[in-house]
Amino acid sequence: MKLIAAELLSILLVVVFAVLLTPLARSTTLAQLSLQQLAASAHFVVRVLCLSNESLWREGEIWTITSFRVRENWKGNSPREIQVWMIGGSIGHITSYIPGAPRFLAGEEAVLFLEPTRDGSLSVTAWGEGTFRIRRDANNGEAVVTQDTALAPDFDPATHAFRAAGIRELPLARFKSRVLAAEKSQRCTQ
C-alpha cells in the first residue's frame, strides 16, 4: 500500500510541476533577416543553375550535396561550379526531412546567399531565408524571384496574427539592384 501511495504522490508531483512550468514554456519565433543582414552574413551571393543532387551518409546523418553552375557572382568570387551541402535527403527507403532546409531540382534557377561551414563546405545562409527561386512571369516572361520563407506566413507575437513576410515575385533586375546596394552599404560600414 505504501508503494502505491508513493507512486501516486510521485505522479502528482510531476503533474503539478508540469502545470506550474507551462506558462514559462513559450514558442520561439525567429525574426526574418533583412536583405542587409543576409548580405552581411553571406560569403557569396550567386545566381545559379542546379545541375544535380546526391545524398550520402555523413557522421550518422543523411546529407544532400547539390551541384550548381554559377551564372553570376553578386558578392564574392565563387568558382564556376559549386557544391552546396544541406542536411537531410533520401537514400534508398530512408528519408531525412529537415523543415526549412531547401531542396533543389536539376534545371532550377535560384539566387543563393552562401557561407562556409566549419569544415569548409558551402551551405545556404539561414536556409530558406537565403534561398530565392527564379521563375518566369507567365504574363510577360520577366524573371522574378521569391524567397523560400515568403511561401509560408510568419506568426507575429505582437499582433497575435499571421503575416506574409519575405520577398515575393520581385523582378530579378530590381532584386539584384537591392542586393548590390545592400552589399555596398555593408562594405561602407566596415
Side-chain angles (χ1 to χ4, degrees):
M1 224 24 153
K2 286 185 177 184
L3 183 60
I4 293 173
E7 287 178 8
L8 288 175
L9 182 59
S10 296
I11 292 171
L12 181 62
L13 287 174
V14 168
V15 169
V16 168
F17 185 70
V19 168
L20 291 174
L21 286 181
T22 299
L24 299 176
R26 296 182 183 220
S27 297
T28 301
T29 302
L30 299 176
Q32 177 94 16
L33 294 176
S34 69
L35 205 52
Q36 288 76 17
Q37 290 169 316
L38 280 171
S41 298
H43 190 78
F44 297 117
V45 179
V46 289
R47 179 180 176 184
V48 295
L49 173 69
C50 178
L51 301 174
S52 64
N53 293 294
E54 174 189 0
S55 293
L56 54 82
W57 288 100
R58 182 180 185 191
E59 297 177 11
E61 295 284 342
I62 296 176
W63 288 78
T64 297
I65 306 166
T66 304
S67 296
F68 294 98
R69 177 173 298 119
V70 175
R71 292 196 160 171
E72 290 182 89
N73 281 292
W74 293 0
K75 178 182 179 182
N77 191 19
S78 75
R80 186 173 173 341
E81 289 195 10
I82 57 173
Q83 292 185 325
V84 174
W85 288 67
M86 294 300 299
I87 193 165
S90 294
I91 297 178
H93 298 296
I94 300 173
T95 296
S96 173
Y97 173 73
I98 309 298
R103 296 288 172 251
F104 303 92
L105 300 172
E108 180 178 23
E109 283 189 273
V111 174
L112 301 177
F113 289 68
L114 301 171
E115 59 190 36
T117 62
R118 278 183 256 143
D119 67 3
S121 58
L122 290 175
S123 185
V124 179
T125 303
W127 292 5
E129 289 189 51
T131 303
F132 296 80
R133 312 285 172 156
I134 300 173
R135 69 166 193 77
R136 297 280 170 195
D137 185 292
N139 296 325
N140 60 19
E142 181 179 28
V144 294
V145 296
T146 297
Q147 191 173 18
D148 272 12
T149 53
L151 300 175
D154 285 337
F155 181 73
D156 183 355
T159 63
H160 299 287
F162 286 93
R163 61 180 172 79
I167 294 173
R168 293 177 187 256
E169 305 294 319
L170 184 66
L172 180 62
R174 284 186 41 211
F175 179 66
K176 181 178 180 179
S177 294
R178 288 178 58 186
V179 170
L180 295 177
E183 165 59 13
K184 183 178 180 184
S185 148
Q186 183 245 336
R187 277 194 319 253
C188 290
T189 60
Q190 290 183 342

